[in-house]
Amino acid sequence: MKVLVIGGGAREHALCRSLSLDPDVSALYCAPGNAGIAEVAELRPVDALDGAAVAALATELGAGLVVVGPEAPLVAGVADAVRAVGIPVFGPSAEAARLEGSKAFAKDVMAAAGVPTARSYVCTTPEEVDEALDAFGAPYVVKDDGLAAGKGVVVTEDLAAARAHALACDRVVIEEYLDGPEVSLFAITDGVTVLPLQPAQDFKRALDGDEGPNTGGMGAYSPLPWADPKLVDEVMELVLQPTVDELRRRGTPFSGLLYAGLAITSRGTRVIEFNARFGDPETQVVLARLRTPLASVLLNAAKGTLDTEPPLRWREDAAVTVVIASHNYPETPRTGDPIEGLAEVAAEDGPDAYVLHAGTRREGDAVVSAGGRVLSVTATGSDLAQARDKAYKAVARIRLDGSQHRTDIAAKAAERR
Ligand code: AMP
Ligand code: GLY
């Protein structure tokens, strides 16, 4: 089977890496890709937001499966355009991707499906904003209704800051603060059958100790030694299956990857957010642990035959990924800096530790930074402590001027604190 992956971040690098190891995949293309993906897939230039262009490329390549990585093309209807030319596509329609594209829509679906989530108000006027902030009190949780690459959410004790963010958004969701650890649980679905993956934890804040601004994610690990072993079954029953059923009932079935961002609160598990695609950086650790070849699972989801798929198989290994970000990420990331040390990691740390590229491009012989999150250094080991050691050893070999990374990814979980 020929597979075309749309996107060019570390998540797509992880997807391409897994697909390149799958004997069912005869040719692998990625558009637009990045400097690292070029080592496992043939890159094609494309405007990933242009459905007609992606559909034409898939047709030209004779692709038997298109996998759409990021949310922006999904929300723009790229999966619909590919489906319309008769090629199986892993990724939801624009209608179903509203689960991620609109926080207000997601809240409406959850209410209809009885899915536990934070109580919330959708506000469009300053009066509504003030009433909602007053109703919930501090800490304030203020979310831009639209897509914001993980940066539209402000959680703060500071009323003035909460109010300022709310007033800067056209439509804003203000909600109850949920405490407790966060878990990301992904499920592959064809709109009917739901196949959960293993849970992971992401580190959203820029700095050690969960300080600093929210980012797209600075690192992740899996499995979660502290989590209740029944968590996956519980989330399947309370969250994933009811949400998939509700979207089907509405005539807009969700097929692709349903990402549940969860808070494990003292009052039970609550949904913080849905995403309509694989999470980044959680995908890097989840796929590192998946033993089942990926292509047929994604194809069965795309074709509506996921019920024929045997249960997924997992490695016993733990996985950790550490994101190396540019100078000044997430505010105004600097790009164009040369990256050194990649060959050393490949030579010294492989195959258990490897570098997945996020924002990189090739400039002559050099690989240079091209985005806020630049690399996702991933490692597996017999437990989290070992995976963590291997990941940080590889991180230490990478040289990128002004770069930053967290030093505490998976630290608490590795010590089982
Ligand atoms: P979101 O984009 O909705 O995932 O929000 C980004 C991050 O903000 C989440 O990963 C949480 O760390 C935090 N957050 C979002 N909603 C809440 C909430 N209701 N209570 C506490 N923290 C939240
Ligand atoms: N890791 C958070 C996200 O993918 O949205």
Side-chain angles (χ1 to χ4, degrees), residues 365-392:
D365 281 342
V367 175
V368 303
S369 60
R373 291 187 292 177
V374 181
L375 303 170
S376 190
V377 180
T378 307
T380 55
S382 58
D383 59 15
L384 283 175
Q386 200 188 76
R388 200 179 123 68
D389 282 352
K390 290 192 206 173
Y392 277 108

Side-chain angles (χ1 to χ4, degrees), residues 342-351 353 393 397:
L342 296 169
E344 279 133 271
V345 174
E348 306 291 334
D349 303 318
K393 209 165 137 209
R397 296 188 206 276

Side-chain angles (χ1 to χ4, degrees), residues 311-335:
L312 297 174
R313 289 175 298 117
W314 297 92
R315 290 180 216 286
E316 290 300 316
D317 284 359
V320 171
T321 195
V322 178
V323 170
I324 299 181
S326 310
H327 183 63
N328 257 334
Y329 176 74
E331 284 84 12
T332 48
R334 188 176 80 200
T335 58

Side-chain angles (χ1 to χ4, degrees), residues 13-29:
H13 194 174
L15 285 163
C16 284
R17 181 177 183 276
S18 293
L19 290 166
S20 74
L21 299 171
D22 184 335
D24 280 347
V25 176
S26 56
L28 182 60
Y29 304 93

Side-chain angles (χ1 to χ4, degrees), residues 29-355:
Y29 304 93
C30 186
N34 63 36
I37 297 174
E39 288 169 20
V40 291
E42 192 177 320
L43 301 193
R44 293 300 175 110
V46 83
D47 173 358
L49 296 178
D50 182 342
V54 171
L57 176 63
T59 305
E60 177 205 321
L61 295 172
L65 173 66
V66 175
V67 180
V68 182
E71 60 275 22
L74 292 166
V75 170
V78 166
D80 304 88
V82 175
R83 234 171 247 125
V85 296
I87 298 174
V89 54
F90 183 80
S93 67
E95 278 289 322
R98 288 177 69 212
L99 207 52
E100 171 163 6
S102 166
K103 304 260 185 210
F105 177 76
K107 286 291 186 189
D108 187 58
V109 170
M110 284 189 266
V115 170
T117 184
R119 289 178 298 126
S120 65
Y121 294 109
V122 180
C123 308
T124 51
T125 67
E127 293 71 34
E128 287 172 355
V129 164
D130 285 333
E131 252 174 68
L133 292 173
D134 188 47
F136 292 127
Y140 303 100
V141 181
V142 181
K143 301 186 172 186
D144 193 337
D145 183 41
L147 275 188
K151 286 162 249 164
V153 177
V154 167
V155 181
T156 178
E157 296 279 345
D158 179 349
L159 178 59
R163 196 163 184 276
H165 181 60
L167 297 181
C169 306
D170 282 342
R171 222 161 104 94
V172 69
V173 174
I174 294 179
E175 67 180 34
E176 167 193 21
Y177 178 79
L178 301 174
D179 60 5
E182 287 180 37
V183 171
S184 302
L185 184 62
F186 303 163
I188 291 173
T189 176
D190 61 2
V192 180
T193 302
V194 183
L195 209 57
L197 307 187
Q198 290 280 308
Q201 190 171 50
D202 175 20
F203 292 75
K204 288 248 168 66
R205 300 283 186 148
L207 306 176
D208 281 5
D210 295 329
E211 301 286 339
N214 262 321
T215 69
M218 294 299 288
Y221 68 92
S222 176
L224 312 180
W226 50 268
D228 184 337
K230 294 195 292 293
L231 179 70
V232 174
D233 289 344
E234 182 206 0
V235 175
M236 266 296 278
E237 189 185 327
L238 291 180
V239 176
L240 296 167
Q241 191 70 57
T243 301
V244 166
D245 292 346
E246 172 62 19
L247 285 164
R248 190 177 64 247
R249 196 190 61 76
R250 292 178 180 218
T252 54
F254 186 103
S255 96
L257 193 290
L258 177 58
Y259 167 135
L262 306 159
I264 314 298
T265 77
S266 51
R267 293 185 297 129
T269 302
R270 300 276 184 280
V271 174
I272 290 183
E273 65 162 344
F274 282 127
N275 291 322
R277 37 82 195 169
F278 280 99
D280 189 342
E282 299 95 312
T283 300
Q284 288 87 301
V285 289
V286 171
L287 292 185
R289 299 186 54 228
L290 181 66
R291 201 187 279 280
T292 306
L294 191 59
S296 83
V297 186
L298 301 185
L299 183 64
N300 274 322
K303 293 204 305 194
T305 50
L306 200 58
D307 59 337
T308 64
E309 194 62 38
L312 297 174
R313 289 175 298 117
W314 297 92
R315 290 180 216 286
E316 290 300 316
D317 284 359
V320 171
T321 195
V322 178
V323 170
I324 299 181
S326 310
H327 183 63
N328 257 334
Y329 176 74
E331 284 84 12
T332 48
R334 188 176 80 200
T335 58
D337 289 305
I339 303 165
E340 284 168 64
L342 296 169
E344 279 133 271
V345 174
E348 306 291 334
D349 303 318
D352 297 354
Y354 47 89
V355 179

